Amino acid sequence: MKNLRIATFNVNGMRARLPNLLAWLEREKPDIACLQELKSVDSAFPAAELEAAGYGAIWQGQSSWNGVAILARDAQPLESRRGLPGDDGDTHSRYLEAAVHGVLVGCLYLPNGNPQPGPKFDYKLAWFERLIAYAKDLQSSEHPVVLAGDYNVVPTDLDIYNPRSWLKDALLQPESRECYQRLLDQGWTDSLRHLYPEDRLYTFWDYFRQHWQKNSGLRIDHLLLNPALSPYLQEAGVDAWVRNEPHASDHAPTWIQLGSRKRR
DNA sequence: ATGCCTTAGAGACTAAGA
């Protein structure tokens, strides 16, 4: 495995965030970037600007909400799937998958699920079940696979500054956490948690109550590796500086560095 | 229970986010 950096970044509006996105790509130069919450239609995707920055892309847009994309540095992602199987009536743009730089990359935007209980929470859990069912074959694949994106799940209380005011939120519900754990139990590696088992690492800080300034964050953007890929995990982190920029998304890019197989 | 803030897209506001 050659050195490869794979990142996931919920941009929260592609149009509003394009300058921030380009500045991040220029500085960090990820080889692969999974984007979520484009909030714009396919025809508005800034393919030319990304091309000029050195990135090929595929995207699945949607007006106003959702939307996912996969960017590849000096390459064109080879699309292998758009949309999860299991519900032909699901119109949300939340899953895109491609072969890039020798890795199969699943880019996902899992439903938020608020308010709960209610139909949105039901949709979240149903979508999660479809992901778990679909991920089973990817997990056992002999090809390297990463499932990267905004999972909208705070896996444990270590992944949030203080759960107290979030106890009724869909991101912390036992059902949401149970789904995430059941996905991991298939044999996926949660990259950041694997490398930093006891650290408080956040990927999202909401716009309210000066949560960024107080580092009141949540870890909800995850990169999951199958056993064919996990031996090559070398480093992982969060580009928190992006969250501190003017006009920032409420998420920061989260990344892994792959390289030669780690000695054990 | 809700605001706190920000986005998109419509239309002078609403829905949604997490």
Side-chain angles (χ1 to χ4, degrees):
Chain A
M1 174 77 58
K2 64 175 180 178
N3 289 338
L4 213 54
R5 182 168 293 220
I6 305 176
T8 180
F9 182 22
N10 180 321
V11 295
N12 186 15
M14 191 59 156
R15 188 183 321 158
R17 215 67 63 206
L18 185 58
N20 304 62
L21 173 65
L22 292 173
W24 169 65
L25 292 173
E26 168 70 22
R27 176 159 154 187
E28 303 293 347
K29 298 181 170 53
D31 298 288
I32 301 169
C34 297
L35 308 182
Q36 301 87 33
E37 279 211 87
L38 306 181
K39 293 183 169 181
S40 51
V41 295
D42 282 342
S43 59
F45 190 83
E49 288 89 339
L50 291 168
E51 178 74 36
Y55 285 86
I58 60 171
W59 57 94
Q60 183 192 32
Q62 186 175 338
S63 178
S64 302
W65 303 297
N66 314 316
V68 286
I70 299 174
L71 315 185
R73 191 159 175 255
D74 299 325
Q76 179 60 32
L78 182 62
E79 183 173 318
S80 53
R81 164 169 285 281
R82 59 176 55 207
L84 280 181
D87 182 1
D88 291 341
D90 185 2
T91 57
H92 293 200
S93 296
R94 295 183 178 276
Y95 188 83
L96 193 57
E97 182 186 284
V100 199
H101 295 306
V103 178
L104 190 68
V105 179
C107 170
L108 64 99
Y109 175 48
L110 209 135
N112 171 292
N114 282 306
Q116 75 79 33
K120 292 190 177 179
F121 191 60
D122 296 340
Y123 174 65
K124 178 193 190 109
L125 296 181
W127 203 95
F128 222 143
E129 293 296 343
R130 288 164 61 201
L131 177 65
I132 291 168
Y134 176 67
K136 196 166 172 34
D137 286 347
L138 294 180
Q139 188 279 335
S140 58
S141 172
E142 64 190 46
H143 299 292
V145 182
V146 56
L147 283 178
D150 178 355
Y151 282 72
N152 270 316
V153 176
V154 175
T156 74
D157 286 353
L158 183 61
D159 301 301
I160 183 169
Y161 63 102
N162 182 347
R164 194 172 48 188
S165 58
W166 295 80
L167 289 177
K168 294 189 175 179
D169 194 282
L171 279 62
L172 277 74
Q173 291 314 298
E175 295 94 329
S176 307
R177 289 176 161 182
E178 188 271 339
C179 280
Y180 188 72
Q181 188 58 51
R182 195 142 44 84
L183 179 60
L184 290 184
D185 286 347
Q186 289 181 345
W188 295 92
T189 297
D190 179 339
S191 305
L192 263 77
R193 189 49 76 213
H194 177 73
L195 292 175
Y196 301 99
E198 294 175 357
D199 289 14
R200 291 196 174 271
L201 296 163
Y202 307 135
T203 66
F204 165 85
W205 299 258
D206 74 25
Y207 291 125
F208 306 158
R209 296 162 288 215
Q210 296 196 299
H211 274 176
W212 165 247
Q213 288 79 1
K214 297 174 184 168
N215 193 28
S216 297
L218 285 63
R219 190 176 74 95
I220 56 177
D221 300 277
H222 308 302
L223 298 113
L224 271 48
L225 313 182
N226 78 341
L229 185 55
S230 58
Y232 301 97
L233 176 63
Q234 291 196 326
E235 188 51 89
V238 180
D239 291 328
W241 68 266
V242 175
R243 182 64 181 80
N244 199 47
E245 292 286 284
H247 208 56
S249 168
D250 40 9
H251 294 249
T254 308
W255 54 266
I256 57 172
Q257 183 74 38
L258 303 170
S260 54
R261 183 181 275 268
K262 272 210 160 179
R263 267 182 246 107
R264 41 172 300 168

